[in-house]
């Protein structure tokens, strides 16, 4: 039977979580038919043969841990940064060569961008942000609309299903297969490289990315000012968390848009989401309802976010947030190893 092809986004030798979620859904859709993966090799931050080895290891790992039967690595000298038209061309060329019955990608900004272009090139419909896919003569999908506040059931009428999977709606399941690995050089035209990432700017603070953070400390209008975010940053620093915010905050210029959580911001799925001075508007909840636990800190016990919170503290965040940070510091100090009393730090 015709294989199912999955676009895998990756960085520094690791597949993105949303891509693994898309792969899990693709495997259940394939029902035993061959599942094949495409890695587009963009040598970011790794040089020379090192990135080649890293991508090759990832290609085999997709078989050993995620049940991929064949991984195709696209290499081209012009692929040193993300270029959506070029990615769409590569995906299309490979799908045609394999005669793929379906193409899956993560419903990320990149995945949706590339798949929309694939759809336009092939003259086929694309079903974006799906949370389930049932194979059959007519494929039925359930997809998120309106930032996840509405679910739509739709049937795909197409010789080749093009599907993106809403991030954090499918649990990654592991499976083992022996992946064949193949490298190929795609044919790219000049105009397909016109739209491309020209520059990469690291976020302030560098470390944890909002979309992948295990803990997010988020502030809303209740924080009061740009300077007010110092206590949010302090708590985030102690927890190794990313800082998020509501749209009111980005509109006021207190934080950059890249920190915004919600329907028109980033969708997060941390283990813990700490919402400080955020009312919990539908558009905000669309971005954080994937969190395993929500802790709301709000002076209004009737704020809508309280309906969605697993834990709530009613009070002034300007007192509560520093108090939590102080408790964390005190707990860590109590468990810290005692300083060595011997001169010069010698061990007795
Ligand atoms: C098309 C569209 C898209 C949108 N997309 C997004 C989006 O992606 N993300 C997003 O966030 N919003 C989005 N919005 C805006 C959204 O509707 C809300 O306006 C916004 O989320 C409210 O932000 P907030 O909770 O910070 O502010 P508010 O709603 O004003 O809430 C402030 C909260 O802080 C509490 N508070 C005040 N002072 C304190 C204090 N000292 N201590 C503790 N609590 C305090 C108050 O009780 C209140 O609950 C969108 C709107 C539209 C129309």
């Amino acid at each position: 039977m015709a294989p199912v092809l999955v676009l895998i986004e990756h960085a520094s030798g690791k597949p993105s979580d949303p891509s693994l979620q898309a792969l899990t859904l693709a495997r259940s859709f394939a029902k035993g038919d061959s599942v094949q993966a495409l890695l587009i090799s963009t040598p970011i931050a790794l040089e020379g043969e090192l990135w080649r080895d890293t991508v090759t290891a990832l290609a085999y790992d997709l078989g050993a841990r995620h049940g991929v039967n064949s991984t195709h690595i696209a290499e081209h000298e012009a692929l040193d940064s993300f270029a959506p038209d070029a990615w769409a061309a590569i995906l299309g060329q490979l799908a045609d060569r394999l005669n793929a019955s379906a193409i899956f990608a993560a419903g990320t900004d990149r995945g949706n961008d590339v798949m929309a272009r694939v759809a336009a090139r092939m003259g086929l419909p694309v079903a974006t942000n799906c949370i389930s896919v049932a194979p059959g003569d007519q494929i039925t999908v359930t997809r998120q609309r309106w930032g996840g506040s509405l679910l739509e059931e739709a049937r795909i009428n197409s010789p080749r299903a093009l599907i993106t999977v809403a991030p954090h709606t499918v649990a990654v399941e592991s499976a083992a297969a022996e992946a064949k690995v193949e490298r190929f050089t795609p044919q790219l035209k000049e105009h397909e490289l016109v739209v491309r990432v020209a520059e990469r700017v690291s976020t302030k603070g560098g470390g944890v990315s909002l979309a992948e953070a295990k803990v997010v400390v988020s502030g809303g209008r209740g924080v009061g000012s740009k300077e007010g975010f110092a206590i949010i940053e302090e708590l985030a620093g102690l927890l190794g968390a990313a800082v998020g915010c509501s749209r009111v905050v980005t509109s006021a210029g207190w934080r950059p848009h890249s920190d915004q959580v919600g329907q028109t911001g980033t969708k997060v799925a941390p283990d813990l989401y700490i919402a400080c001075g955020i009312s919990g508007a539908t558009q905000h909840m669309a971005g954080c309802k994937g969190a395993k636990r929500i802790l709301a800190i709000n002076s209004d016990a009737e704020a809508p976010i309280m309906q969605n919170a697993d834990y709530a503290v009613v009070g002034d965040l300007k007192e509560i947030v520093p108090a939590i940070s102080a408790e964390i510091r005190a707990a860590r100090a109590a468990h810290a190893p005692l300083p060595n009393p011997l001169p010069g730090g010698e061990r007795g």
Side-chain angles (χ1 to χ4, degrees), residues 98-189:
L98 301 173
N99 193 24
S101 61
I103 309 178
F104 281 70
T108 52
D109 289 347
R110 283 190 176 187
N112 283 334
D113 186 350
V114 170
M115 287 292 269
R117 290 167 196 265
V118 170
R121 283 164 173 268
M122 293 182 174
L124 297 177
V126 56
T128 54
N129 299 320
C130 295
I131 63 168
S132 72
V133 185
D137 289 342
Q138 250 196 344
I139 296 163
T140 307
V141 297
T142 306
R143 51 186 294 256
Q144 289 184 341
R145 302 288 307 270
W146 296 97
S149 50
L150 185 81
L151 291 179
E152 173 191 270
E153 194 177 287
R155 270 169 280 286
I156 301 179
N157 215 338
S158 168
R160 177 179 286 158
L162 306 180
I163 290 164
T164 73
V165 180
H168 312 303
T169 58
V170 174
V172 174
E173 285 170 20
S174 43
E178 204 172 318
K180 285 190 225 122
V181 174
E182 179 214 71
R183 294 177 187 281
F184 72 105
T185 306
Q187 302 299 312
L188 295 178
K189 301 192 179 82

